[in-house]
Structures are given as structure tokens and as C-alpha cells.
Amino acid sequence: MALIVQKYGGTSVGTPERIQAVAEKIIQYRDQGNRVVVVVSAMSGETDRLLSLATTLCERPMPRELDVLLATGEQTTIALLSMALQERGCAARSYTGAQVHILTDGAHNKARILDIDAHRVSSDLAAGRVVVVAGFQGVDENGNITTLGRGGSDTTAVALAAALKADECQIFTDVDGVYTTDPRVEPDARRLERITFEEMLEMASLGSKVLQIRAVEFAGKYNVPLRVLSSFEQGEGTLITYEDEGMEKALISGIAFNRDEAKLTVLGVPDQPGVAHRILGPIANANIEVDMIIQNIAPDGKTTDFTFTVHRNDYQRGMEILQQTAEQMGASQVSGDARIVKISLVGVGMRSHAGIASTMFETLAKESINIRMISTSEIKVSVVVDEKYLELGVRALHQAFQLDQAATA
Ligand code: ADP
Ligand code: ASP
Ligand code: MG
């Protein structure tokens, strides 16, 4: 008898009819002899609705209260799904994160799971019930409700699968697997049968929202077999796995992009030791995460230009801080651009092949797309370009690297 943890995302439980369809799918798995634990998201759009409800009352709601509010989205769907299961004669029980002791740290709105007491879930399973757990939420050691960051239900599912030593964690969503790039942007994107944890982690951290980054990290760390599948169609989906001989020998596995970036520049900073620290120190103190960084010496040889990217939500605050720093340092000018995006190529094949970056730059040049920043690591190359070139850039690269065709060994 296999134990599987299934997660159904927002679109999959977006209407009462879809919840009924999910209930039927779960019953099929159970009838095949599996023990099933189900994690659900809030109905699609609900978390956004709750967020905007909060901001109509105050500009910056207290993170603790925001978590109390946001957690209601998932509490609704666990109850509805359990009712749908029971209505079909399937014994089921719903639990909030706190009820199954999903213990997290106290970082409201972006908490990390520390421990799960799987006892209660295990005894329900032993009694033949389907267990339905609210995704995205936990409880800290003081009993405060916490949430895990957007897309966090994926992480709840993987963490439960690890705690229960499940045979597989299945992420059911509105696409039938992980594609070479977001199929909403490139209709020729191709489903991957398998992708490595390492590549999936890069894809997720470079903007592919099909899986939350922490879910992939967790699955890699605890060796949880993880699969992405469609809620609406049959199929094998995509298995996220360790690298092995049987895998496609592609140079590039996928293209990720991130629309959430913004760029800040300070020009004409006196070039002295400690410049980077003086510019980025106040940014870090304001809890703003910096992604890419470029420093260039100006033609006069005495000053330097410094550019970095941050999350678009932090753009205004970052700009205010940078303006103050620039004044203190005697820099000549501060500028910024919130209409930029990052496009990245990801693939373990890059390790053993030169020339990927140059093909990337050539492809973008042919489309007259200006590259504003570049960064590389062992298995990825990222460029920052103007927002208006996102679709064109992704499609041109997809074609140039022939990602619509499976690689041959
Ligand atoms: P859920 O609500 O089920 O968690 P998400 O919206 O979080 O679903 O994730 C699924 C979406 O991820 C897809 O609809 C797709 O547009 C997007 N996506 C982005 N990159 C990829 C990719 N490489 N492969 C598949 N889907 C992707
Ligand atoms: N409901 C949360 C969100 O919209 C968590 C999730 O769906 O995974 O981000
Ligand atoms: Mg998601």
C-alpha cells in the first residue's frame, strides 16, 4: 500500500465543481489501494482578494494579523473538500496547519517549516481516512499562525511527504508538468519528462512559479520523489529527480523569467575601498534583497558606476535609501528603472559546454534586444532586458536552442 501526498493548487479547487472533481480524483487513487494525504491551496484569486482587503484598511498591515487573515483561504478549501469527499462516502478529515503542528519559525508571511508532528495524520490514515491539510500555513512556538510565502502550499505538501516518508509527492496544477518555459508565454514549450532538483531549483529561483523554491529545496534535501501533474488531464507529468544516465542530454533544460525585478543605479561614486558596502549596507539594513550587481569604473578612472536589481515591490523604498546614500557619498546621480525583466537559461549541460552565453547574446542581438545586465553561474546565464522584450526574447531563445525538440543523447 503506497502512501502519497497530493497537493491541489488554487485553480484546481477554484470552484465547487472543481472541488468535486478533485474529490473524485482522490477517491480513484484511494480505490487503487493508496493511502492519501491531500494538501490544498485557497481557491484561485482568494489570497490576492484577502491581501487587497487588508490594504484597504491599512497601507502596511501587521504581518501577524495578515497571516491570520491569509490562512482563512486555505481553511475554507480544506473544509469544502472534506465535505465533498464525505458526500461521496469517503471518510475524510480536514486539519489546519496548527492542528497538525506544522511548526514554523516566527517570520510572519515568509515562515520556514521547522518540524511536523505527523502523529495525528498517521493515525487517521491507519483508520482508513483521507487526511486533508491546509497548505501555506503553520504555527510558531508561541501559537501564532504563520504563512509560508506565496506558493507555499507546495512546500507544505513536500514537508508532509518528508515527515510521513511518503512514496511520492504529487503537485497537481493547471499545467500537465514542468515545461521548457512557461507555456503561457511560449506555446511551443515542451513538457519535460524529468528535470533534476538542481535545475528545478534554479528555474524556481529565477522566476518559474510552477513550484515554490522551498518545496524543491526540501524535496532535494529529504529525497522526496516529486512529480508535477495536471488536475484536469491524465498523464505522467514531470518527475523531479537526481541526475542520472537515463536523462535527456540537453544543454539547456529550460528558460525562466522574472517580471518582478527593478534596477537601481548610482553614477559617479568616488572609487574607494568600501564603496559597495556603503551603497548596499543601508539597503540590506532595510531588509531589501539584492539580486544582480554590476560595478563599472567611469572613463575618468576616479569614479565608479554601481547598478543592482531588487524586487519591484522594493523599488520605491530602495530608491529613497539610495538617494540618501548618494548624497552622503558625493555621487553625481541616481537613476532607476522598474520596467525591466530577467530572462535566464538553465541547464546542467552548460557545465561541459562553452558557447551557450554567446549564442544567447547573438540571438538577442538579432532581435535588436539590448542587454542591460548579465550574470552567470555554473548552470545558468541570466540577462536583464526591457520589459517589452520579454515575450520576444523568451521565444527567440526557445527557438535558437531548439527546446521544442527533445535532445538526443
Ligand atoms: P497552482 O495554483 O496550482 O499552485 P501556479 O500558478 O502556482 O499553480 O503554477 C502553475 C503555473 O506556472 C502554470 O499555469 C504556468 O503558467 C506557470 N509556469 C511558469 N513556468 C512554468 C514552467 N516552466 N512549466 C510549467 N508551468 C510554468
Ligand atoms: N494561497 C497561497 C498563494 O496564493 C498559497 C498557495 O497557493 O500555494 O500564494
Ligand atoms: Mg503555485
Side-chain angles (χ1 to χ4, degrees):
M1 215 187 196
L3 168 55
I4 48 184
V5 175
Q6 302 189 326
K7 177 254 171 176
Y8 292 90
T11 321
S12 315
V13 293
T15 61
E17 294 71 30
R18 288 195 167 162
I19 292 178
Q20 286 173 327
V22 165
E24 269 153 31
K25 211 172 174 78
I26 294 166
I27 291 171
Q28 276 175 17
Y29 277 92
R30 193 208 50 171
D31 289 350
Q32 287 161 7
N34 301 296
R35 287 176 295 156
V36 190
V37 176
V38 182
V39 172
V40 279
S41 290
M43 294 165 100
S44 54
E46 179 64 4
T47 308
D48 287 333
R49 189 187 72 85
L50 293 168
L51 270 171
S52 61
L53 202 55
T55 45
T56 51
L57 295 178
C58 54
E59 202 182 325
R60 282 202 194 159
M62 290 296 285
R64 182 187 183 280
E65 305 316 324
L66 200 55
D67 277 350
V68 174
L69 180 70
L70 294 186
T72 63
E74 272 72 9
Q75 186 163 342
T76 305
T77 44
I78 53 168
L80 293 175
L81 178 59
S82 301
M83 289 174 198
L85 286 165
Q86 288 158 4
E87 187 66 15
R88 284 163 179 72
C90 172
R93 257 191 197 163
S94 67
Y95 291 106
T96 64
Q99 284 175 310
V100 281
H101 301 294
I102 298 183
L103 180 71
T104 71
D105 61 18
H108 285 290
N109 311 161
K110 49 173 190 261
R112 281 181 177 271
I113 296 178
L114 302 175
D115 192 32
I116 296 183
D117 173 7
H119 192 74
R120 204 155 173 186
V121 177
S122 299
S123 54
D124 271 326
L125 287 173
R129 295 186 191 105
V130 168
V131 182
V132 183
V133 179
F136 176 58
Q137 55 178 264
V139 63
D140 74 7
E141 60 176 1
N142 299 315
N144 298 301
I145 294 173
T146 54
T147 63
L148 310 177
R150 300 305 304 263
S153 300
D154 297 338
T155 305
T156 307
V158 176
L160 264 169
L164 293 162
K165 301 197 172 43
D167 295 289
E168 190 163 282
C169 181
Q170 302 173 335
I171 307 288
F172 287 92
T173 181
D174 56 4
V175 269
D176 63 345
V178 177
Y179 276 64
T180 46
T181 193
D182 189 340
R184 286 181 213 239
V185 165
E186 169 52 286
D188 285 339
R190 182 174 55 87
R191 180 176 61 82
L192 298 164
E193 269 172 38
R194 299 210 221 168
I195 184 168
T196 66
F197 282 116
E198 210 182 352
E199 288 168 321
M200 195 62 240
L201 198 58
E202 282 284 4
M203 293 277 282
S205 62
L206 294 166
S208 297
K209 291 182 180 144
V210 60
L211 283 175
Q212 203 200 30
I213 306 169
R214 288 207 193 129
V216 188
E217 265 171 11
F218 228 98
K221 187 167 169 197
Y222 295 99
N223 204 359
V224 176
L226 182 62
R227 196 181 281 278
V228 176
L229 307 130
S230 165
S231 293
F232 309 118
E233 296 161 34
Q234 295 292 331
E236 291 295 296
T238 301
L239 182 69
I240 293 102
T241 175
Y242 289 110
E243 206 171 335
D244 73 31
E245 287 303 308
M247 295 191 76
E248 270 185 30
K249 296 283 178 276
L251 288 184
I252 306 297
S253 294
I255 304 175
F257 54 82
N258 189 350
R259 301 179 198 264
D260 298 333
E261 303 236 346
K263 174 165 87 73
L264 297 169
T265 300
V266 49
L267 296 170
V269 186
D271 191 22
Q272 295 154 357
V275 169
H277 176 63
R278 282 192 66 191
I279 295 172
L280 295 182
I283 297 283
N285 291 342
N287 243 328
I288 298 178
E289 262 179 56
V290 171
D291 181 17
M292 287 161 97
I293 303 172
I294 290 183
Q295 188 182 351
N296 264 341
I297 197 81
D300 63 12
K302 296 190 191 100
T303 60
T304 181
D305 298 342
F306 197 96
T307 301
F308 57 97
T309 61
V310 296
H311 193 285
R312 226 175 255 194
N313 292 346
D314 292 324
Y315 177 63
Q316 283 308 338
R317 222 153 39 100
M319 196 63 156
E320 285 160 25
I321 296 170
L322 191 61
Q323 257 147 0
Q324 281 174 14
T325 314
E327 244 169 65
Q328 290 159 10
M329 294 177 82
S332 58
Q333 204 188 329
V334 169
S335 65
D337 190 350
R339 303 180 67 106
I340 53 141
V341 291
K342 183 167 73 174
I343 303 179
S344 309
L345 297 180
V346 175
V348 287
M350 252 183 240
R351 281 196 196 113
S352 48
H353 282 84
I356 304 279
S358 86
T359 307
M360 182 186 201
F361 305 152
E362 187 191 4
T363 307
L364 296 174
K366 275 194 194 143
E367 300 294 341
S368 304
I369 299 175
N370 199 11
I371 300 173
R372 308 214 168 263
M373 297 173 87
I374 300 170
S375 91
T376 62
S377 76
E378 207 187 13
I379 66 160
K380 71 122 206 269
V381 189
S382 302
V383 294
V384 167
V385 299
D386 290 348
E387 190 178 64
K388 63 181 181 211
Y389 294 128
L390 174 78
E391 282 80 8
L392 179 63
V394 168
R395 288 181 198 153
L397 291 167
H398 200 270
Q399 203 172 20
F401 287 95
Q402 299 183 319
L403 295 186
D404 56 334
Q405 296 160 34
T408 43

